[in-house]
């Protein structure tokens, strides 16, 4: 008697994942956002390869069975969580571990670029203008990294290697990690305030007019977490009024950032298109991670990176 293979449903994005190692071990089906709701009842596993899509959140409510396991090829899970999924018995995992060091390197690059005034240097080069000026020293400055997960910890390690005194803020205070009650005090002393927290009900809009008002005028704000951690109107006001020295955003409340967004033209703002974790071969790394997880799941072994669906992130760090 032939055993029935589990059905693996992939919410596609281009290019698709490389899942050749699962040939003969799973019945692999593909869908787009429009077809997801109709295909969910027949799937044992859902791979959210299109991690920019909100299709899971929209398709999950409804009658019928649902996958036993959902894996998203991203660190954040806010794009797929809904009350029905959170209340279900479905296990949700994420891609924690793939993006940690690349994002940390990107943050360090932003800090160095701003301190050394590299954007202005490139502008002057295009203008064929020789303009000598002083730049900032990075060693000896202070950073506050908000988000104590693997990405935040990697950022802290990398900045400390540049001799930046770095404080880490998490949801719960513990050894080496400050709690939310210390946040205002820490950002008031920081030269670099770096957002790397997951998007949850507690963190949504946490960087608002109050927080930008607490920061010192020489501070630079960096966001590599989620766009909706920030009140973008408040940030715009802070930059226009020179309450802070600058900002570097890799994530935005609306992506892609519309061409007519006023954020493009703000003084002292560096904008990049959600690319801080994307280094050469990152899609292959995501695919290989999922295949490894699938093999563990098929063998009945515990899955890594299990998300606490109520909190919205992987606990225990």
């Amino acid at each position: 008697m032939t055993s029935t293979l589990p059905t693996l449903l992939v919410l596609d994005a281009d290019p698709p994942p490389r899942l050749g190692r699962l040939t003969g071990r799973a019945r692999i089906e593909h869908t787009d956002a429009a077809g997801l709701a109709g295909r969910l009842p027949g799937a044992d596993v859902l791979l959210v390869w299109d991690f920019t899509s909100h299709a899971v959140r929209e398709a999950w409510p409804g009658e019928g069975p649902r996958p036993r396991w959902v894996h998203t090829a991203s660190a954040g899970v806010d794009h797929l969580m809904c009350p029905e999924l959170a209340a279900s018995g479905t296990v949700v995992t994420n891609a924690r571990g793939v993006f940690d060091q690349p994002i940390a390197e990107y943050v360090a690059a932003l800090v160095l670029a701003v301190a050394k005034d590299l954007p202005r240097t490139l502008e002057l080069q295009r203008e064929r203008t020789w303009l000598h000026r002083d730049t900032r020293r990075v060693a000896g400055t202070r950073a506050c990294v908000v988000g104590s997960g693997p990405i935040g910890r990697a950022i802290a390690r990398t900045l400390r290697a540049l001799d930046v005194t770095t404080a880490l803020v998490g949801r719960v205070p513990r050894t080496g990690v400050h709690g939310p009650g210390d946040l205002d005090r820490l950002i008031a002393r920081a030269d670099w305030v770096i957002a790397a927290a997951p998007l949850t009900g507690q963190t949504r809009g946490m960087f608002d007019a109050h927080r930008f008002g607490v920061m010192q005028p020489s501070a630079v704000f960096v966001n590599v977490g989620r766009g909706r951690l920030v009140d973008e109107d408040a940030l715009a006001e802070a930059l226009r009024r020179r309450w802070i020295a600058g900002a570097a955003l890799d994530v935005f409340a609306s992506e892609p950032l519309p061409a007519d967004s006023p954020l493009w033209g703000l003084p002292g703002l560096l904008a990049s298109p959600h690319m801080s974790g994307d280094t050469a071969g990152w899609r292959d790394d995501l695919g290989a991670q999922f295949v490894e997880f699938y093999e563990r799941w098929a063998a009945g072994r515990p899955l890594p990176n299990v998300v606490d669906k109520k909190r919205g992130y992987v606990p225990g760090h």
Side-chain angles (χ1 to χ4, degrees), residues 14-178:
D14 189 36
R18 296 183 180 181
L19 302 175
R21 275 171 51 189
L22 300 184
T23 301
R25 305 165 72 181
R27 181 184 296 106
I28 302 174
E29 300 178 354
H30 298 264
T31 187
D32 58 12
L36 181 61
R39 305 288 291 277
L40 278 178
D44 298 292
V45 180
L46 174 64
L47 168 57
V48 185
W49 189 248
D50 184 1
F51 52 81
T52 66
S53 172
H54 291 170
V56 176
R57 192 164 61 197
E58 295 162 1
W60 198 272
E63 299 297 325
R66 292 292 185 263
R68 291 176 280 158
W69 167 36
V70 173
H71 178 79
T72 179
S74 61
V77 299
D78 50 279
H79 59 290
L80 57 84
M81 293 305 300
C82 62
E84 291 81 4
L85 174 55
S88 73
T90 296
V91 175
V92 175
T93 58
N94 71 356
R96 184 178 68 158
V98 172
F99 301 108
D100 306 354
Q101 192 56 35
I103 292 177
E105 293 171 5
Y106 199 87
V107 169
L110 290 173
V111 167
L112 289 167
V114 171
K116 303 308 177 185
D117 200 22
L118 294 185
R120 180 65 173 143
T121 296
L122 293 173
E123 290 177 7
L124 292 168
Q125 179 179 349
R126 285 191 291 268
E127 297 168 3
R128 298 173 180 259
T129 300
W130 182 279
L131 180 63
H132 182 273
R133 65 252 190 244
D134 297 337
T135 62
R136 299 174 65 179
R137 248 184 112 162
V138 171
T141 59
R142 295 176 178 271
C144 177
V145 180
V146 183
S148 60
I151 292 173
R153 294 200 303 270
I155 292 170
R157 285 194 305 271
T158 303
L159 292 180
R160 287 168 184 152
L162 295 173
D163 201 20
V164 176
T165 300
T166 305
L168 199 57
V169 178
R171 187 183 67 88
V172 177
R174 56 195 182 278
T175 302
V177 178
H178 296 269

Side-chain angles (χ1 to χ4, degrees), residues 8 12 24 31 41 61 63 67-69 81 83 102 138 159 193 201 209 257 260 293-294 305 310 312 315:
L8 165 60
D12 270 333
T31 187
E63 299 297 325
R68 291 176 280 158
W69 167 36
M81 293 305 300
V138 171
L159 292 180
V193 178
L257 186 64
D260 61 354
F293 285 12
Y294 184 90
N305 293 7
K310 302 295 186 183

Side-chain angles (χ1 to χ4, degrees), residues 252-311:
F252 300 86
S254 177
E255 296 183 5
L257 186 64
D260 61 354
S261 170
L263 294 176
W264 288 110
L266 287 176
L269 176 66
L270 283 175
S272 58
H274 205 149
M275 58 183 283
S276 60
D278 301 348
T279 53
W282 65 279
R283 291 182 179 85
D284 289 340
D285 293 340
L286 288 171
Q289 182 190 57
F290 174 74
V291 169
E292 177 188 341
F293 285 12
Y294 184 90
E295 290 171 342
R296 293 175 65 98
W297 178 81
R301 298 164 59 198
L303 282 165
N305 293 7
V306 175
V307 172
D308 183 319
K309 294 182 292 182
K310 302 295 186 183
R311 297 180 184 178

